[in-house]
């Protein structure tokens, strides 16, 4: 047979492209620029020696669930662990979306939300952000008041634009709808804030967190949700039984037990973000948007060309200039001081050379 019964629903779907390329300065994926601390890596190696590789892992990663629950003043039933935040986002669309169901999205934001809706046949209702990338709070509340939205994701701080969502707005939203409201706090550690206290009174709130950013584990694939036991149970219904493998569980427990070791790097990244912001403000032709995350969105004329010139200099950033509402935007992840210097120097040079060429 030289024919296959492809599913026409996916005919126009493009596979996700992280746009990852080799470079000296990897500033495109919002990872931590720091590997795990040596002490943690040593402890992981020690624990791995006792691992029964031949056995299936605990399907629910209960040891890690218990650690996370305890640290958040919750019970095991309020936590589910996933293969990265990405798996939990997909499971959100599976459990709360589907044909005939509606997802309220606030673009520009993490593109995976809308992609998951498309894959699961969920209708996307867009309430675009304002020109300064703040959420259109009135727009969201007005749309939600129609009563047909099944789930909402608000990202705080938002990727790729960097802004926090106000606690007052989240509280208001939670009170005005029975839709599931996910607050994606993938970058929350860099803002030193969380809406976790709202869990006590709001059954329809679920919080997403990840080990990939502040905890230097993007390569491991671990994320988790905090929520009401009945909400978490919906996730247990749709999840792949063994999606979090034994090695990831072991690493997750070790990292979580030692999470205070990450404080200096988190503090350092916040300070570097502020320094990078100051440096960017001094470069003519660059508009930098305020950020509470470990990246900064900038607008610069001819962004794709600037991206290319930076890449030629060994600095990889993320080009968003073809995304809706992000014309001429690049997202710069905060790296080590040395990487950030290379980025600032590169940007200065590229723009200066361009100015010179235009004047000639
Ligand atoms: N949420 C947001 C806003 C993100 O930017 C990311 C990663 N880019 C994720 C969730 C998922 O991260 P991970 O799958 O690595 O946990």
């Amino acid at each position: 047979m030289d024919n296959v019964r492809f599913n026409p629903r996916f005919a126009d779907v493009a596979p996700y492209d992280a746009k990852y390329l080799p470079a000296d300065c990897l500033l495109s994926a919002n990872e931590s620029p720091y590997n795990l601390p040596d002490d943690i890596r040593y402890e992981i190696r020690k624990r791995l020696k006792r691992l029964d590789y031949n056995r299936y892992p605990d399907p629910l990663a209960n040891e890690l669930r218990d650690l996370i629950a305890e640290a958040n003043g919750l019970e095991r039933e309020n936590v589910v662990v996933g293969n990265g935040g990405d798996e939990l986002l997909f499971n959100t669309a599976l459990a709360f979306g589907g044909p005939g169901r509606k997802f309220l999205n606030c673009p520009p934001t993490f593109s995976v939300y809308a992609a998951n809706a498309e894959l699961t046949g969920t209708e996307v209702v867009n309430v675009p952000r304002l020109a300064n990338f703040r959420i259109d709070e009135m727009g969201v509340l007005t749309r939600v008041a129609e009563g047909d939205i099944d789930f909402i994701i608000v990202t705080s701080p938002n990727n790729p634009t960097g802004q926090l969502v106000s606690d007052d707005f989240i509280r208001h939203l939670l009170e005005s709808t029975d839709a599931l409201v996910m607050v994606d706090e993938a970058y929350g550690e860099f803002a030193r804030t969380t809406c976790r206290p709202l869990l006590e009174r709001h059954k329809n709130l679920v919080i997403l967190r990840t080990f990939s950013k502040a905890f230097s584990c993007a390569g491991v694939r671990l994320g988790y949700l905090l929520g009401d036991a009945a909400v978490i149970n919906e996730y247990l219904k749709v999840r792949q039984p063994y999606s979090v493998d034994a090695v990831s569980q072991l690493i997750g427990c070790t990292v979580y037990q030692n999470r205070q070791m990450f404080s200096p790097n988190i503090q350092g990244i916040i300070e570097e973000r502020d320094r990078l912001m100051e440096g960017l403000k001094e470069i003519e032709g660059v508009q930098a948007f305020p950020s509470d995350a470990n990246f900064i969105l900038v607008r610069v004329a001819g962004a794709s060309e600037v991206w290319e010139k930076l890449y030629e200099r060994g600095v990889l950033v993320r080009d968003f200039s073809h995304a809706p509402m992000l014309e001429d935007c690049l997202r710069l992840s905060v790296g080590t001081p040395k990487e950030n210097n290379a980025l600032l120097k590169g940007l200065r040079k590229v723009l200066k050379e361009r100015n010179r060429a235009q004047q000639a």
Side-chain angles (χ1 to χ4, degrees):
M1 188 61 66
D2 65 354
N3 209 7
V4 182
R5 291 174 67 99
F6 291 119
N7 187 337
R9 281 210 305 125
F10 302 126
D12 296 327
V13 174
Y16 184 75
D17 177 5
K19 301 198 167 61
Y20 222 54
L21 295 164
D24 287 343
C25 298
L26 294 170
L27 303 177
S28 72
N30 301 340
E31 300 146 328
S32 173
Y34 303 108
N35 205 340
L36 286 176
D38 285 346
D39 287 354
I40 294 183
R41 282 156 70 179
Y42 176 74
E43 181 61 27
I44 289 169
R45 278 201 296 276
K46 235 172 55 184
R47 293 188 192 185
L48 276 175
K49 283 186 190 145
R50 297 192 299 268
L51 185 71
D52 293 324
Y53 288 87
N54 56 323
R55 301 292 173 198
Y56 280 101
D58 173 353
L60 290 172
N62 278 328
E63 191 184 343
L64 183 53
R65 267 176 114 192
D66 287 345
L67 287 171
I68 293 168
E70 197 190 336
N72 286 280
L74 300 166
E75 303 295 326
R76 175 187 289 185
E77 290 70 28
N78 301 118
V79 181
V80 60
V81 180
N83 187 292
D86 280 346
E87 186 198 22
L88 298 165
L89 289 171
F90 187 70
N91 289 352
T92 304
L94 264 185
F96 291 89
R101 310 252 315 168
K102 291 181 186 164
F103 157 55
L104 190 149
N105 198 25
C106 300
T109 188
F110 191 30
S111 62
V112 164
Y113 309 152
N116 288 338
E118 190 179 5
L119 292 177
T120 54
T122 311
E123 185 179 329
V124 181
V125 175
N126 281 321
V127 179
R129 286 166 179 266
L130 305 172
N132 62 3
F133 296 131
R134 302 252 158 229
I135 286 202
D136 177 1
E137 299 185 358
M138 274 312 296
V140 170
L141 292 171
T142 306
R143 185 58 190 82
V144 157
E146 290 183 33
D148 58 341
I149 300 296
D150 297 296
F151 70 102
I152 305 166
I153 305 180
V154 290
T155 320
S156 189
N158 187 44
N159 176 19
T161 64
Q163 296 76 27
L164 273 174
V165 181
S166 88
D167 251 18
D168 279 350
F169 168 68
I170 294 172
R171 194 176 308 113
H172 208 126
L173 182 60
L174 289 166
E175 278 162 11
S176 58
T177 180
D178 59 356
L180 181 79
V181 177
M182 170 179 279
V183 179
D184 182 342
E185 294 188 342
Y187 302 97
E189 289 83 6
F190 304 108
R192 298 203 180 290
T193 177
T194 171
C195 67
R196 186 195 57 201
L198 296 176
L199 277 177
E200 276 168 35
R201 306 210 309 128
H202 299 281
K203 188 170 174 166
N204 57 336
L205 170 64
V206 68
I207 299 173
L208 175 70
R209 301 222 187 112
T210 179
F211 282 66
S212 295
K213 314 293 180 184
F215 300 103
S216 299
C217 281
V220 182
R221 313 309 302 133
L222 276 171
Y224 63 92
L225 296 178
L226 306 177
D228 183 85
V231 169
I232 296 299
N233 196 46
E234 294 301 294
Y235 283 91
L236 301 189
K237 291 179 189 176
V238 301
R239 68 184 294 278
Q240 293 292 311
Y242 297 109
S243 67
V244 185
D245 64 83
V247 177
S248 297
Q249 291 188 33
L250 181 153
I251 294 172
C253 288
T254 315
V255 165
Y256 205 78
Q257 282 163 335
N258 292 285
R259 64 192 177 284
Q260 78 291 343
M261 278 192 201
F262 294 83
S263 295
N265 279 348
I266 294 171
Q267 178 61 28
I269 290 166
I270 292 172
E271 285 168 14
E272 274 299 295
R273 174 190 70 210
D274 295 345
R275 189 178 72 86
L276 186 58
M277 181 63 87
E278 289 312 308
L280 291 168
K281 280 183 184 160
E282 283 166 16
I283 305 177
E284 214 183 300
V286 174
Q287 178 191 9
F289 293 92
S291 172
D292 284 294
N294 65 336
F295 53 83
I296 296 175
L297 189 78
V298 296
R299 184 163 271 150
V300 55
S304 291
E305 189 199 342
V306 174
W307 179 91
E308 213 164 298
K309 292 266 181 323
L310 282 174
Y311 187 61
E312 281 167 15
R313 299 177 60 92
V315 181
L316 179 70
V317 299
R318 186 78 183 256
D319 183 4
F320 277 94
S321 58
H322 301 292
M325 296 178 71
L326 297 173
E327 297 78 17
D328 276 336
C329 285
L330 301 176
R331 190 191 64 196
L332 320 174
S333 303
V334 179
T336 61
K338 198 170 152 215
E339 289 169 331
N340 301 331
N341 288 341
L343 169 61
L344 284 169
K345 191 171 163 196
L347 255 180
R348 265 188 236 112
K349 195 130 191 189
V350 168
L351 294 181
K352 207 186 226 168
E353 276 167 13
R354 194 171 65 179
N355 276 346
R356 223 180 276 140
Q358 280 168 352
Q359 280 161 9

